[in-house]
Amino acid sequence: MPLILVAPLIVFAMLALGVRTRRAAANLAQLAPLSALVGVGLATWARLQKPEPYDGSYEWLNIGTAFSGPAQFQTYIVDIGIRITHLTSILMLCALAISFAVLAWSRVGARGEPSPARYYALLTLLLTSTLGVVASTDLSVLYVFWGAAAAASYLLLSNSWADEASTLGARLALAVPFGSDLALLAGIALLYSRYGQLNLDQLIPQLHGVAGAGPKALATAGILLFAGAAGRLGLFPFHGWLTRASTASAGAHAAVQGLWALMAAGLLYKVLPILAASNTVNPWPLRVVAVTAAVSAVALPLLGLAGMDARRALTAAGIGVSALAVLGFARPLAVAPAAVLLAATALARVGLILAAGSLAAGMRSPLVSEMGEGLRRMPLSLLALPLAAAGLAGAVGAVAGDKLLHWWWVAAYALGLGLGMLALFRVYFLAAHGPLPRRRGFDPNRVRAAPNEVAVPPLLLAAIAVLISIALYSTRFQGYFDRLPHQRPAFAFLALWVGAPLAGALLAAGLFLAARALGGRLTAGAAFAWEGGSGLARRALDRGLVAPFTALIALLEDRALAGGESRLGRAVGDGARILHRRVPLLPVALGVAVVVVVVAGLAAPGVYR
Amino acid sequence: MNHLLYLLAVTTPSPSPSPVSPFGPTIIHFNFLLSTLIWTPVLMAAVLALLPNPRGRYDRTFFQIAFWTNASLLFLCLVAYNQANLFSSAAQYEENLPWLPALGIQYHLGVDGITIPLLLLGSLIGVVSVLASSAIRERVREYFVLLLLVVGSVNGVLCARDLFVLVLFWAGGILPIALLVAGWGGPGRRAAAGRFLAYGAVGTFALLAVALVLYAATGGISFDFDFLAHGLLNNRLQVVIAILVVVAAATRLPLVPLHGWARDLYAEATPGVAMLVAGIGARLGGYLLIRILVVGQHNGASLIAPFLAALAAATVLYAAFAILRSRDLRRFGAYAALVPGGVAALGISGMTSLALLGATFQLVAGGLAAALVVGATATIAERAQTRDVEVMGGLAPRMPKLSWLFVLAGFAVLGVPGFASFIAEAMTLFGSFHNQPGAVFVLSLGLGLLAVAFAFFYQRVLFGSPRPDSPGASDASLGEMWYLGLLVAMLFWWGVLPGGPKLGGSVTLFDQGIVNVINNSSADIMSGYSPGAS
């Protein structure tokens, strides 16, 4: 079982240290998912019909930190625990599928990447970290892989350093989710400070049984842990790092958002017992999950409708639909299916981004307004878009169910699905059926279908997402992951869950056919407003937080500190000058004697005690 | 003959607990191990000072002597590290000779789990520092004499079990460092040396005051740590002592606002001196906090902990903002080197067993990280022939090895998983959250800002578009790769195997594991601080 993590890590080390050429790096990188696939495949096969998970544990840290006080704080134990359940198997297999697809796509699609060895090495590190997060059973080990994935994501998105826009996006990708990673760390630290335990197997049974760990701490920890997942999923208001990253290479962008969605699914599934445990006395954690997911599901597709950048629009819409999967986590009975749904949406989102990357490369523009005639010129790449959209929206209804739904949950599902599909199909219609305008230095007649290495991987990923979506409608398939009974939603709800995305797609078609100019103006206006708002927020942040602090530092460094030091220096200098003068010996000696007496008197035991 | 016998009888140290090797009998067993660590560099400095050197003919020999002296110290420290008894919290390799019995001052040396890793760090940094000084061409003899004196004084501070002796070694290291900066530093060397002297004097006076107050308050009998730690002092006095210790430590660690020397010294000193001070010289401040405050003044430490936590968080936040406005690469390194000290101080203020263990580990890991970042920035500035960030740009293609080392240095300071600093920071933050949640949050925020600042610098200095007006740049030489690579290797080693390599999950191989060695005495000390214990 360690093969699953160790083999990709070895490949990463080989890529980072020894490989220079693009072809060698691309070939070697394939070994990472391949070797991990052997391990995951064997473990999955061995546990296909058995409910017990495959467990492995390797001691990393085992130290006694104290000999007294509560027992849980007398040791600090961190084991690298690996657990492969039915759910983690499917998450890992999805991660491997994404990795294979991105690596295959990158052979041609990422030819322009500077330092290909670094690019492939970072992709491998990201895969290893994903597998680690999904498999680990200890929160501190999980955070190790989480942190490694964060570093890999940042470096991957900023691989094209010379490109200013890409670098700006990468900086945002470093700064924004760092806040949520910090929340995750704070959540873990809070749990440790109350329970003295980070191994989930031992932590979860004692959530209510440890003195000093009240529901308030539990609820706070739950919200912080969720914030960690939400940041990396790109839920509102943390979406900026993923939408802005559309300036990076499509392969890197796709891998980052797909693999982080899987990691978030793994994290949410693991920590949900903590949120649920606090829910018995404090409903806030699950409320925060539901509200954040619902707001994201509606707001992000709207953002996807603003602006003309194809990958940005698809990313925003994709996150919106993924948020609907997160909404499933707020219902304890739907947790495992929600995690599978999140995995399916991750596959579909990667398919969308890779396809959009191919289209942008083929039509020499990332802007959807400059794309067109895609169905005729690049059919395979373009077909991936509706297929991935089907994979994204298809199974949301199966997980949403119909029981215990508040009216606003129903509204969020319906509105999110409708708006999400509207945003996705807007891109599809413009790129597939719109006119391909002639531009300076660009001849539409020279647009050719993308080679199979680039066109097929997104299509395959979208197809897998569709298959998982269809399977999720089977209650047996849902029960396979959590061994709980599941019910099929009622026909009326089923119709709603299928009807809402269809309505969104039809609305997009209608707008495309009847009011394209109006739609274009609306989109441009919305984009202008959004950009203006973002710019204002950025400037406010800069002026309100960064500038005052920097000014304060300047004041401290250049005035206060320097002034204090120079005053001290002058005082010492003056003191030294006294030595050169003729000083009255007796008063000085008397003064020194008085000081010595006072110090000795103060220091005498009787004065102190 | 009788005189000789008398001398032998007097200088034979008192018996000490025999360290037990985990893998059999001791490799080296002699009673002067710690004295050897302290006085060998001093003796070699004296030898260097007396050797004739007509027209700089033996400059290279001086370098070699300094290198081999430090290498042999490293070997001895490795032996000490490996033979440390993990089942005893008592002082090991102890030497105890009366020095000024009338005043209760003894030449008392000894090490425990907290000290041994720091000794190992110090000797490693000593070797690195000599290697980094291979380019020194002026007054080579004087340079290495002073460098060896610094190494000796650092080892003295770490090994001393008598507070008066500690103060002497503490003060003894300040002047050689100041002279090294003033004699071989950059354009602002005089100001840097002056600042270091001034702050050093403040710290030494504070420490001397601690020693005298403790001595007087415990009856004026002895300066021995074991004796002073068991004195029953009231809370008010403990707080006074705690404040003085924090002032002394803050001038060395350094913590804001007593950090003024660090900015100039790290930016102006030669790479070797800057790495020596950042790697081990500054860590002595944290060591002081643990040795005097945490071990001895339980209530004072607890009462002053929020203040110390605030200083720690302010230091990291300050460093992050200062880096954001810095336009000087070496100052960038100087500010980044403040961060590990801030994290260690937070761990000490955390006042839980895990936080204190993490803080001790952070002193070691942070020392490596600080030395690496200071060394990398100094080397890049030398190789790029400028320190002005505005002039630099696109260095990565021209110096790929140094660029990677610089990136790794940033990761080490930030505590990215895989580096020893990650484990230390995780232990520190997890452990401190119980008592100092606000400071943990602010410090983490500072680390986040620092990450952004690092990204900004990397983009501008290493990976941005090359500037046509920048001077020619060359990559690191083999020697530079060696010493910086050694630090990276140690950071990785302790990051991946903090508990030592194990066979079958239980038997440790050739390395006992740094956390086990640290914990050998810290668990005993820190039990009093475990949550719910007091």
Side-chain angles (χ1 to χ4, degrees):
Chain A
M1 203 157 47
L3 180 79
I4 296 169
L5 296 178
V6 173
L9 209 57
I10 292 171
V11 175
F12 162 70
M14 289 165 72
L15 280 165
L17 298 175
V19 180
R20 288 286 164 267
T21 64
R22 186 172 53 81
R23 189 183 290 268
N27 290 337
L28 186 61
Q30 295 281 357
L31 263 181
L34 207 62
S35 51
L37 182 64
V38 173
V40 176
L42 284 173
T44 307
W45 181 258
R47 288 291 178 267
L48 198 61
Q49 297 297 333
K50 295 176 184 167
E52 301 85 25
Y54 205 115
D55 269 318
S57 184
Y58 307 91
E59 186 182 294
W60 190 33
L61 274 172
N62 185 351
I63 40 177
T65 50
F67 302 128
S68 59
Q72 71 267 29
F73 291 107
Q74 290 182 14
T75 51
Y76 182 66
I77 299 172
V78 180
D79 289 341
I80 301 175
I82 301 174
R83 170 164 303 161
I84 301 183
T85 61
H86 292 158
L87 184 70
T88 49
S89 289
I90 197 166
L91 293 179
M92 284 177 159
L93 288 171
C94 287
L96 293 173
I98 288 173
S99 187
F100 275 123
V102 171
L103 288 174
W105 185 91
S106 298
R107 292 179 85 89
V108 175
R111 268 187 181 155
E113 281 293 309
S115 183
R118 188 171 69 208
Y119 174 79
Y120 284 107
L122 291 168
L123 276 178
T124 309
L125 181 61
L126 191 59
L127 170 70
T128 313
S129 309
T130 307
L131 298 176
V133 167
V134 169
S136 57
T137 54
D138 187 289
L139 283 175
S140 46
V141 176
L142 184 146
Y143 197 80
V144 169
F145 288 115
W146 192 273
S153 303
Y154 161 65
L155 292 172
L156 198 54
L157 291 177
S158 57
N159 198 44
S160 311
W161 291 91
D163 178 14
E164 197 61 41
S166 168
T167 310
L168 183 71
R171 274 217 294 276
L172 210 62
L174 182 74
V176 173
F178 196 92
S180 62
D181 292 348
L182 204 65
L184 178 62
L185 184 68
I188 296 173
L190 181 57
L191 284 174
Y192 180 83
S193 71
R194 295 296 183 275
Y195 296 95
Q197 183 62 259
L198 290 175
N199 187 309
L200 287 163
D201 290 339
Q202 288 158 22
L203 174 68
I204 289 170
Q206 49 175 300
L207 284 175
H208 288 305
V210 172
K216 204 171 154 189
L218 204 55
T220 311
I223 291 171
L224 288 169
L225 294 174
F226 171 69
R232 285 299 176 180
L233 260 173
L235 298 187
F236 188 84
F238 298 108
H239 59 277
W241 77 277
L242 276 178
T243 51
R244 285 271 176 184
S246 60
T247 44
S249 143
H253 190 207
V256 164
Q257 48 177 298
L259 294 176
W260 272 113
L262 293 173
M263 282 185 260
L267 173 69
L268 283 174
Y269 182 74
K270 284 174 215 286
V271 301
L272 208 83
I274 298 169
L275 276 85
S278 70
N279 198 48
T280 51
V281 281
N282 187 340
W284 272 106
L286 288 183
R287 254 184 225 169
V288 168
V289 174
V291 170
T292 311
V295 169
S296 304
V298 177
L300 288 170
L302 284 174
L303 172 64
L305 286 169
M308 284 297 172
D309 188 316
R311 264 167 52 195
R312 198 171 169 193
L314 294 174
T315 302
I319 300 171
V321 182
S322 288
L324 292 174
V326 176
L327 199 52
F329 283 95
R331 292 166 50 228
L333 279 179
V335 170
V340 179
L341 176 61
L342 202 49
T345 60
L347 292 172
R349 282 166 61 188
V350 173
L352 281 172
I353 299 302
L354 290 181
S358 308
L359 289 171
M363 300 186 192
R364 307 283 192 277
S365 171
L367 300 179
V368 77
S369 56
E370 293 178 351
M371 292 179 182
E373 299 176 17
L375 201 60
R376 189 161 64 85
R377 296 178 189 275
M378 303 180 74
L380 275 181
S381 299
L382 206 84
L383 277 176
L385 294 185
L387 199 61
L392 262 176
V396 170
V399 176
D402 57 0
K403 291 200 167 169
L404 301 170
L405 286 184
H406 301 291
W407 67 267
W408 65 268
W409 283 44
V410 177
Y413 272 119
L415 209 58
L417 278 172
L419 287 172
M421 290 304 110
L422 176 64
L424 286 174
F425 276 92
R426 177 180 77 99
V427 175
Y428 166 76
F429 283 117
L430 285 172
H433 305 290
L436 182 59
R438 182 179 289 276
R439 304 189 302 275
R440 194 173 177 185
F442 171 71
D443 180 6
N445 292 324
R446 294 184 66 184
V447 174
R448 298 277 180 273
N452 283 345
E453 291 97 320
V454 171
V456 173
L459 211 58
L460 280 178
L461 282 183
I464 297 170
V466 169
L467 284 177
I468 295 176
S469 297
I470 293 169
L472 271 171
Y473 278 93
S474 153
T475 51
R476 269 189 68 192
F477 185 70
Q478 289 190 22
Y480 179 71
F481 298 107
D482 56 8
R483 298 194 298 282
L484 292 172
H486 293 275
Q487 288 183 334
R488 201 168 282 123
F491 182 76
F493 277 95
L494 212 55
L496 180 62
W497 304 143
V498 178
L502 271 180
L506 286 174
L507 186 61
L511 282 171
F512 174 75
L513 291 173
R516 200 184 314 164
L518 176 69
R521 276 198 296 276
L522 280 175
T523 302
F528 182 75
W530 187 272
E531 285 298 326
S534 305
L536 275 178
R538 236 184 348 261
R539 275 196 292 279
L541 188 73
D542 193 40
R543 283 185 190 169
L545 187 72
V546 179
F549 266 102
T550 317
L552 184 70
I553 299 296
L555 192 75
L556 279 172
E557 282 281 288
D558 304 337
R559 299 224 182 135
L561 198 67
E565 282 171 349
S566 62
R567 271 194 291 278
L568 184 72
R570 271 200 301 277
V572 172
D574 292 345
R577 270 195 290 278
I578 287 174
L579 296 177
H580 293 293
R581 291 179 193 162
R582 197 178 280 270
V583 287
L585 194 63
L586 194 64
V588 171
L590 273 176
V592 170
V594 168
V595 170
V596 168
V597 167
V598 169
V599 169
L602 279 172
V607 176
Y608 286 111
R609 293 181 186 157
Chain B
M1 189 63 189
N2 282 345
H3 286 291
L4 191 65
L5 283 174
Y6 174 75
L7 197 66
L8 271 175
V10 168
T11 52
T12 304
S14 60
S16 66
S18 301
V20 178
S21 165
F23 50 88
T26 53
I27 302 170
I28 292 179
H29 185 78
F30 65 104
N31 293 328
F32 299 105
L33 180 69
L34 302 184
S35 285
T36 310
L37 290 176
I38 296 169
W39 297 112
T40 304
V42 178
L43 191 70
M44 293 314 290
V47 170
L48 287 190
L50 294 174
L51 276 177
N53 185 26
R55 292 193 300 280
R57 195 171 159 191
Y58 298 114
D59 282 354
R60 198 68 198 157
T61 312
F62 293 146
F63 167 77
Q64 287 165 351
I65 289 173
F67 173 78
W68 286 112
T69 305
N70 279 291
S72 25
L73 294 184
L74 178 61
F75 173 73
L76 284 177
C77 285
L78 274 171
V79 172
Y81 171 77
N82 242 299
Q83 294 186 1
N85 188 349
L86 295 185
F87 301 100
S88 165
S89 60
Q92 299 181 31
Y93 309 107
E94 217 173 355
E95 298 171 31
N96 199 346
L97 296 170
W99 183 24
L100 299 169
L103 295 172
I105 299 171
Q106 295 161 307
Y107 177 74
H108 187 184
L109 306 178
V111 289
D112 57 11
I114 295 168
T115 322
I116 292 173
L118 286 168
L119 269 180
L120 191 61
L121 170 74
S123 45
L124 181 76
I125 296 288
V127 171
V128 165
S129 167
V130 173
L131 285 173
S133 306
S134 62
I136 297 294
R137 294 285 178 270
E138 289 176 5
R139 289 164 282 133
V140 177
R141 179 222 300 267
E142 289 82 353
Y143 181 88
F144 286 112
V145 165
L146 292 170
L147 201 73
L148 287 169
L149 286 178
V150 176
V151 171
S153 77
V154 164
N155 286 349
V157 171
L158 291 171
C159 296
R161 304 286 293 185
D162 185 285
L163 191 50
F164 191 81
V165 176
L166 185 144
V167 175
L168 289 184
F169 281 121
W170 177 277
I174 293 170
L175 193 63
I177 293 174
L179 289 174
L180 280 167
V181 179
W184 289 266
R189 58 182 183 268
R190 284 186 193 282
R195 280 209 173 90
F196 183 73
L197 265 181
Y199 280 96
V202 170
T204 306
F205 278 122
L207 189 57
L208 189 62
V210 169
L212 292 176
V213 170
L214 267 174
Y215 177 72
T218 50
I221 297 166
S222 173
F223 280 97
D224 197 284
F225 276 144
D226 296 333
F227 181 79
L228 296 178
H230 292 104
L232 295 170
L233 310 182
N234 63 35
N235 283 355
R236 204 185 308 164
L237 189 57
Q238 286 202 28
V239 168
V240 171
I241 291 168
I243 289 172
L244 287 170
V245 175
V246 168
V247 168
T251 56
R252 190 59 82 90
L253 202 50
L255 297 177
V256 168
L258 296 174
H259 68 285
W261 65 267
R263 178 196 55 192
D264 291 341
L265 190 142
Y266 294 155
E268 299 300 336
T270 61
V273 174
M275 288 169 86
L276 186 65
V277 177
I280 185 66
R283 303 310 115 195
L284 296 180
Y287 174 74
L288 202 67
L289 284 172
I290 293 175
R291 180 61 67 206
I292 299 178
L293 193 60
V294 174
V295 176
Q297 313 303 319
H298 190 287
N299 291 345
S302 299
L303 288 168
I304 207 170
F307 170 66
L308 184 60
L311 282 186
T315 301
V316 175
L317 209 58
Y318 182 93
F321 276 109
I323 285 176
L324 276 173
R325 70 179 282 270
S326 173
R327 294 291 169 268
D328 180 331
L329 185 67
R330 289 206 61 181
R331 286 207 167 183
F332 164 90
Y335 289 123
L338 299 182
V339 174
V343 177
L346 176 75
I348 293 164
S349 70
M351 293 295 157
T352 65
S353 38
L354 184 64
L356 291 166
L357 179 58
T360 314
F361 190 14
Q362 175 65 12
L363 287 180
V364 181
L368 291 171
L372 181 60
V373 76
V374 165
T377 48
T379 313
I380 288 179
E382 274 188 5
R383 291 278 163 183
Q385 301 188 62
T386 177
R387 343 182 337 177
D388 188 354
V389 175
E390 303 290 345
V391 178
M392 291 178 178
L395 288 180
R398 288 182 282 169
M399 44 171 78
K401 292 173 195 160
L402 265 178
S403 301
W404 270 110
L405 284 167
F406 186 30
V407 171
L408 292 176
F411 283 0
V413 170
L414 288 171
V416 168
F419 289 90
S421 42
F422 169 76
I423 298 171
E425 283 181 16
M427 281 178 166
T428 304
L429 297 180
F430 289 170
S432 305
F433 199 86
H434 192 275
N435 293 331
Q436 312 292 350
V440 169
F441 194 77
V442 174
L443 188 136
S444 309
L445 201 67
L447 287 176
L449 269 173
L450 202 65
V452 177
F454 270 90
F456 187 74
F457 254 78
Y458 290 156
Q459 191 263 327
R460 176 171 279 202
V461 174
L462 302 181
F463 302 106
S465 338
R467 294 182 66 97
D469 52 341
S470 62
S474 56
D475 205 358
S477 65
L478 191 64
E480 287 161 346
M481 280 296 292
W482 258 105
Y483 66 76
L484 292 173
L486 196 64
L487 296 175
V488 173
M490 285 313 294
L491 279 161
F492 270 127
W493 175 259
W494 279 331
V496 176
L497 298 166
K502 288 175 186 168
L503 199 62
S506 57
V507 182
T508 51
L509 296 174
F510 49 90
D511 173 4
Q512 305 200 81
I514 189 159
V515 289
N516 300 329
V517 175
I518 293 172
N519 200 42
N520 123 43
S521 55
S522 54
D524 191 41
I525 293 163
M526 294 156 189
S527 287
Y529 294 103
S530 63
S534 51

